[in-house]
Amino acid sequence: MRRPSQMMRLLITSFFGVIVGFLMGITFPTLTLTKMNLPSTLFPSIDLAYIEDKYTDLSRQRLFGAWSSTKGLKIKKDIPDPPYNYNDTKIWVPTNPRGAERLPPDIVTTESDLYLRRLWGDPNEDLTIKQRYLVTFTVGYDQRKNVDTALKKFSDNFTIMLFHYDGRASEWEEFEWSKRAIHVSIRKQTKWWYAKRFLHPDIVAPYEYIFIWDEDLGVEHFNSEKYLAVVKKHGLEISQPGLEPYEGLTWEMTKKRDDTEVHKHAEERNGWCNDPNLPPCAAFVEIMAPVFSRKAWRCVWHMIQNDLVHGWGLDFAVRKCVQNAHEKIGVVDAQWIIHQGVPSLGNQGQPEQGKQPWEGVRERCRREWTMFQDRLDNAEKAYLEASAHNNASSRLHR
C-alpha cells in the first residue's frame, strides 16, 4: 500500500496538471477540425463543418468568459468584434423604393435605360448620343426585308429593339442597324408578352415616346420625326398613324383621312358607339401600331395582364390611362401606314383537333378579350364598392 503522503502528492500533481492543460487549451487558437489532415475514415458519419459552426462560437464565448473572470484580462483587444448584425443600421429611409430603405437616398437608382455601353474607358464618355425615343418590333426572320425597310424610316434618335418570336436573332447581322439594336429572342411569344417583361416603365423612362409595332406594316408614307412633330403639336398621349383603307379594315376611327392632319373622332356603324367620346368612336387606337408617351405607357404597362398575351381589349381600355382621353388620343393622318396583314405570328400556333395553327391563335385572342374585359369590369366594381363603403363609414364616425 502507498503511504498517505504519496497519495496526497499524486492528487496535487493531477490537479495542477488539469489546471495547466485547461489554461494552455484556452490560450492557444482554437483548432479547426475541418482543417486537420485526418483520414476521412476516422469520422465516417460526422459532419465536422456542422459541428464547428454550431458549437465553436458558443464554446469560445464560455471559455473566454471563464478565462477573463479568473485572470482579469481585457478580452476586447484579444478577440474580434462579433459579425455585423444586418438587422441593425443607422440608415432607414421609408421614402426609398420598397426593399431599399437601408440605403442612403443618393445611391438609390430607381430607373435604368437601354443605352449600350462599352466595356472599357471612362463611363462618362460611353454615350455619344442618348436616344430620345424607342421603337420595338416583334419579328420573324421571314419578314426581315419589310422590317429593314421600316427601320430605315426611324432616325438615329431611336433606340431599336427587336423581339424575335422564331429564335433566329443572330441571322439579322446582315443589316448594319442590327449591330446597334437590342435583340431579345424567345420563341412563340407575342409583343405584349415581351412588353410586359422587358419594357417596364422604369427601364424605358429615358424615352419620350415608345413605339410598339407589328412587323407587317408598310411605311412608304411614314417618317418618324415628322410623325412625332405632329404628335407633339396636338398633344397626343397615345396615337397611331392612319391606316390606308383596305378590305379588312375594321374600325372607321383608324382609317386615314385626306382632309386633316389628325383626327380624334369617327362615325361608326349604328349601335357601335353609345357615347361619341368613347371607343370605338373616340379615345381609340388599334394595337398593331400604337405609340405611347412616357407618362401614358407607365399606366398602360400596369394594365397589361401577365397571362393575356395577345393584348385584345387593350385598345378599348387604354383611354383609362389618359385624362380627357377623347382629346389626347388620336390618329395621325399626315403620316400613314399600310397594314399588310401577314399572318406570320398566327402560324406559330399549334394545330389541334383538325384546326389550323392560326385558328387556335384566333380563338385564344377572342377568349382573352372576354377575360380581360371581365377582369377590368370586376376590378372597377370592387373599387367603387369599397370606396362607397369607406365613405359611408367616414360619415358615421363624424
Side-chain angles (χ1 to χ4, degrees):
M1 293 183 61
R2 297 178 179 176
R3 289 179 296 177
S5 60
Q6 292 177 329
M7 290 294 294
M8 182 62 67
R9 189 181 301 113
L10 180 61
L11 288 175
I12 293 173
T13 301
S14 299
F15 175 77
F16 277 103
V18 170
I19 295 298
V20 171
F22 172 78
L23 295 179
M24 290 179 65
I26 65 173
T27 301
F28 289 98
T30 302
L31 184 61
T32 303
L33 290 177
T34 56
K35 295 181 180 179
M36 292 179 63
N37 188 19
L38 295 177
S40 59
T41 53
L42 293 179
F43 304 99
S45 60
I46 301 176
D47 188 341
L48 298 180
Y50 172 80
I51 295 175
E52 180 184 5
D53 290 343
K54 186 172 181 65
Y55 297 109
T56 298
D57 289 342
L58 181 60
S59 300
R60 278 184 188 158
Q61 292 174 7
R62 289 178 176 173
L63 291 175
F64 274 111
W67 174 252
S68 63
S69 64
T70 58
K71 303 297 291 183
L73 295 178
K74 295 182 180 180
I75 64 173
K76 195 77 173 179
K77 297 180 180 179
D78 298 326
I79 61 173
D81 292 330
Y84 179 76
N85 187 347
Y86 291 99
N87 290 323
D88 296 332
T89 178
K90 295 180 180 179
I91 298 176
W92 184 263
V93 186
T95 55
N96 277 358
R98 185 176 61 180
E101 294 88 352
R102 298 178 183 279
L103 299 178
D106 287 348
I107 200 63
V108 174
T109 305
T110 59
E111 297 175 347
S112 187
D113 57 62
L114 296 172
Y115 300 140
L116 302 181
R117 293 184 175 272
R118 305 175 301 177
L119 304 183
W120 65 93
D122 185 345
N124 296 317
E125 299 174 355
D126 282 349
L127 306 177
T128 57
I129 181 175
K130 289 187 177 181
Q131 290 85 7
R132 299 168 59 191
Y133 317 117
L134 173 67
V135 57
T136 74
F137 283 89
T138 302
V139 301
Y141 187 65
D142 291 343
Q143 294 297 314
R144 61 191 180 280
K145 292 183 179 179
N146 195 63
V147 174
D148 176 50
T149 300
L151 283 173
K152 290 176 179 176
K153 296 286 187 172
F154 290 86
S155 71
D156 290 340
N157 270 331
F158 283 82
T159 293
I160 300 170
M161 192 171 192
L162 296 188
F163 301 128
H164 300 268
Y165 60 75
D166 61 356
R168 300 175 66 181
S170 61
E171 298 179 48
W172 290 73
E173 289 294 320
E174 64 185 273
F175 303 110
E176 186 62 29
W177 52 259
S178 178
K179 298 174 183 178
R180 62 180 177 89
I182 298 169
H183 298 265
V184 178
S185 180
I186 303 170
R187 293 177 181 272
K188 296 181 182 293
Q189 300 301 323
T190 72
K191 71 177 181 181
W192 299 109
W193 185 93
Y194 288 112
K196 185 65 174 179
R197 287 150 183 84
F198 297 101
L199 300 181
H200 187 282
D202 288 343
I203 300 297
V204 300
Y207 303 107
E208 297 176 29
Y209 293 92
I210 299 103
F211 292 60
I212 304 179
W213 280 21
D214 290 351
E215 62 183 338
D216 59 341
L217 302 175
V219 293
E220 291 83 356
H221 309 286
F222 176 83
N223 178 283
S224 61
E225 293 287 351
K226 292 180 179 179
Y227 177 88
L228 288 176
V230 175
V231 165
K232 295 174 183 179
K233 174 182 175 182
H234 292 269
L236 300 180
E237 295 289 333
I238 302 175
S239 64
Q240 74 162 76
L243 289 174
E244 186 172 281
Y246 64 99
E247 185 178 350
L249 184 63
T250 304
W251 311 106
E252 289 294 321
M253 178 64 187
T254 57
K255 183 188 297 185
K256 172 189 173 295
R257 296 181 187 175
D258 297 327
D259 58 347
T260 182
E261 190 174 50
V262 166
H263 71 270
K264 303 174 184 178
H265 293 79
E267 293 289 334
E268 273 292 355
R269 303 170 211 183
N270 289 334
W272 280 29
C273 293
N274 296 324
D275 187 324
N277 288 329
L278 294 179
C281 288
F284 178 79
V285 298
E286 295 190 64
I287 58 174
M288 71 172 71
V291 179
F292 301 95
S293 71
R294 177 168 42 211
K295 180 180 178 181
W297 178 244
R298 181 167 289 278
C299 173
V300 172
W301 183 89
H302 286 88
M303 183 186 293
I304 299 171
Q305 305 291 288
N306 286 322
D307 57 331
L308 306 184
V309 298
H310 289 289
W312 280 37
L314 278 176
D315 40 12
F316 281 78
V318 294
R319 64 182 178 84
K320 297 180 181 294
C321 287
V322 180
Q323 191 172 12
N324 298 323
H326 62 286
E327 293 295 333
K328 298 294 184 179
I329 298 178
V331 175
V332 178
D333 299 293
Q335 299 290 318
W336 75 94
I337 59 176
I338 300 170
H339 184 211
Q340 298 168 340
V342 179
S344 50
L345 185 58
N347 289 334
Q348 296 292 310
Q350 183 172 333
E352 291 181 342
Q353 301 176 351
K355 297 179 181 179
Q356 295 297 316
W358 68 267
E359 292 180 293
V361 172
R362 183 54 60 95
E363 285 184 2
R364 170 147 181 168
C365 288
R366 295 193 180 100
R367 186 181 301 117
E368 286 192 6
W369 190 352
T370 300
M371 294 173 67
F372 177 76
Q373 190 59 53
D374 288 344
R375 290 182 190 180
L376 186 58
D377 290 344
N378 291 336
E380 290 183 340
K381 180 180 178 182
Y383 172 80
L384 294 174
E385 289 178 351
S387 296
H389 175 75
N390 292 336
N391 291 337
S393 299
S394 298
R395 286 193 294 268
L396 288 175
H397 290 88
R398 287 178 181 174

